[in-house]
Amino acid sequence: DQNGVEVKKFKRFESYKRDSQFPPKVRDMSIVIDQKNATIVLPVMGRPVPFHVNTIKNASKSDEGEWSFLRINFLSPGQGVGRKDDQPFEDASAHFVRSLTFRSTDGDRYADIANQIANLKREAVKKEQEKKDMED
Amino acid sequence: MAAIESFDNIYLDLSKEHGKCRFAETGLGWKPVGPGDTFTLDQGNIGGAQWSRAARGYEIKILQRNSGIIQLDGFQQEDYERLSKIFKNWYSTNLENKEHSLRGWNWGKAEFGKAELTFNVQNRPAFEIPYSEISNTNLAGRNEIAVEFAVGEGGKANGQNGATPGKGKKASAGKDQMVEMRFYIPGTTTRKEAEGGDA
């Protein structure tokens, strides 16, 4: 703006245009990472549901007895931690999915998925920064 | 139209094994390929039907008159015309083509229907949660609602085949079992909805 302060703007994004773009693996009703489209596809009651990497805050794995848990946190208003406060939203008055937790007996897989999500997130931030540097 | 219309490789309520789905004027039936009981639904209990993309293929979701939900997944896209006629001619029901949102957004509007919660993104459903799959809900924080799902103690044994549709099994049907979902609901919207107005 005129004060030279960078104003964060919300930029629109889209995972898929047609359902034919889903990775074939969604058949298994398991968590699928789609690097090409910067999207993770989560099984919700038998339906593959895409979440763009831009909606994701982080993912973490934990263990409890024979079960491993994967919790995926999404960006939503009112999370109020430091600089995250200025996170722009298209519609802050909307309802938000804030987190989804899955469990499985395959803990190695969840560690791998959490890693892949972190990488995807890092990649997206890097790309965004490169784009910004080009514009300057 | 033949007296019976038959479809193979159909999954009932996220069953592990597929089966044969048959439609007749009196209603429909599903029989697993392996051992297991046959499921039948009388045509009088069909209150509505939707056609959507699901995991295995295309899905018919039947809203029962007694408020339960039946999911039949594994149809081909080109089956729509044939199935649409079956529902129209035999069950006087419109097989509604319901396109889901593929935007990948986590914001929208949670709406409460007769048998399920629908999360809509730009007026298109992104996903649905049948009430029968919810085991508990609580206020987890300011404007935060936690919904827990019925995955059961013997979760590993869930999702077995057979005509046991409905209750508390869908969240644990796959190898990734959904145990909890949290929503952020802004205070102002909650108040408006409580007063019965549109948000």
Side-chain angles (χ1 to χ4, degrees), chain A residues 10 12-20 22 26-31 43-52 55 66-67 69 71 74-78 90-105 109-110, chain B residues 11 14 52-56 58-59 61 71 100-110 119 122 126-130 133 142 144 149 151-152 155-156 170-171 173-186 189 193:
Chain A
F10 178 83
R12 277 203 169 191
F13 48 85
E14 188 170 40
S15 287
Y16 304 110
K17 289 204 189 310
R18 288 172 297 280
D19 56 39
S20 57
F22 274 128
V26 302
R27 274 190 73 85
D28 301 341
M29 292 197 297
S30 58
I31 298 165
V44 180
M45 302 298 165
R47 202 175 301 289
V49 183
F51 289 94
H52 194 276
T55 66
E66 58 180 330
W67 293 102
F69 294 81
R71 181 181 170 128
F74 299 94
L75 292 166
S76 63
E90 184 183 61
D91 180 6
S93 68
H95 302 163
F96 285 73
V97 177
R98 187 168 252 185
S99 76
L100 266 170
T101 307
F102 291 89
R103 76 170 185 181
S104 144
T105 48
R109 203 171 130 261
Y110 276 3
Chain B
Y11 297 80
L14 282 49
S52 302
R53 166 70 203 239
R56 266 73 176 255
Y58 282 79
E59 169 201 81
K61 184 162 75 184
Q71 287 172 271
H100 281 66
S101 169
L102 302 172
R103 289 194 167 269
W105 296 359
N106 70 322
W107 66 96
K109 193 168 190 294
F119 193 79
Q122 290 195 313
F127 58 83
E128 302 92 344
I129 309 277
E133 308 301 314
R142 215 173 135 232
E144 184 168 316
F149 300 103
V151 285
K156 279 191 289 185
K170 291 177 184 175
K175 63 175 169 182
D176 293 317
Q177 309 182 347
M178 187 168 66
V179 291
E180 192 202 63
M181 187 183 278
R182 288 185 181 220
F183 292 97
Y184 167 82
I185 311 285
T189 310
E193 282 183 349

Side-chain angles (χ1 to χ4, degrees), chain B residues 16-195:
Chain B
K16 286 236 191 308
E17 264 191 275
H18 59 85
K20 191 186 271 291
C21 188
R22 285 180 155 168
F23 296 86
E25 206 163 347
T26 51
L28 62 96
W30 179 86
K31 191 179 183 342
V33 281
D37 297 333
T38 302
F39 166 78
T40 57
L41 185 68
D42 190 85
Q43 64 93 15
N45 200 3
I46 298 173
Q50 290 176 0
W51 174 262
S52 302
R53 166 70 203 239
R56 266 73 176 255
Y58 282 79
E59 169 201 81
I60 292 179
K61 184 162 75 184
I62 296 171
L63 297 104
Q64 291 179 262
R65 289 214 185 274
N66 61 17
S67 90
I69 280 174
I70 299 295
Q71 287 172 271
L72 292 159
D73 186 6
F75 294 100
Q76 307 290 312
Q77 194 167 17
E78 53 270 25
D79 293 337
Y80 177 73
E81 289 301 317
R82 202 172 136 207
L83 284 157
S84 171
K85 275 188 194 135
I86 291 171
F87 276 80
K88 186 164 166 269
N89 295 341
W90 286 347
Y91 312 140
S92 308
T93 299
N94 176 31
L95 181 60
E96 192 188 350
N97 190 352
K98 201 110 190 159
E99 268 188 65
H100 281 66
S101 169
L102 302 172
R103 289 194 167 269
W105 296 359
N106 70 322
W107 66 96
K109 193 168 190 294
E111 292 185 81
F112 297 87
K114 197 177 153 203
E116 58 184 4
L117 183 165
T118 304
F119 193 79
N120 288 304
V121 172
Q122 290 195 313
N123 298 317
R124 276 188 185 180
F127 58 83
E128 302 92 344
I129 309 277
Y131 299 140
S132 58
E133 308 301 314
I134 297 174
S135 66
N136 197 17
T137 60
N138 63 76
L139 201 59
R142 215 173 135 232
N143 301 328
E144 184 168 316
I145 292 163
V147 178
E148 288 164 31
F149 300 103
V151 285
E153 281 310 304
K156 279 191 289 185
N158 271 1
Q160 72 268 51
N161 222 12
T164 47
K167 306 240 178 299
K169 284 187 144 191
K170 291 177 184 175
S172 56
K175 63 175 169 182
D176 293 317
Q177 309 182 347
M178 187 168 66
V179 291
E180 192 202 63
M181 187 183 278
R182 288 185 181 220
F183 292 97
Y184 167 82
I185 311 285
T188 50
T189 310
T190 325
R191 199 179 314 128
K192 265 188 213 158
E193 282 183 349
E195 286 163 9

Side-chain angles (χ1 to χ4, degrees), chain A residues 4-73:
Chain A
V5 180
E6 187 198 336
V7 178
K8 277 199 186 177
K9 275 210 192 92
F10 178 83
K11 284 204 190 95
R12 277 203 169 191
F13 48 85
E14 188 170 40
S15 287
Y16 304 110
K17 289 204 189 310
R18 288 172 297 280
D19 56 39
S20 57
Q21 292 172 290
F22 274 128
K25 266 198 292 185
V26 302
R27 274 190 73 85
D28 301 341
M29 292 197 297
S30 58
I31 298 165
V32 177
I33 311 276
D34 180 0
Q35 301 232 351
K36 201 180 81 183
N37 293 295
T39 290
I40 59 167
V41 186
L42 302 177
V44 180
M45 302 298 165
R47 202 175 301 289
V49 183
F51 289 94
H52 194 276
V53 67
N54 290 5
T55 66
I56 293 167
K57 190 176 163 199
N58 54 41
S60 62
K61 180 216 165 205
S62 61
D63 301 295
E64 208 175 289
E66 58 180 330
W67 293 102
S68 286
F69 294 81
L70 181 74
R71 181 181 170 128
I72 299 159
N73 291 309

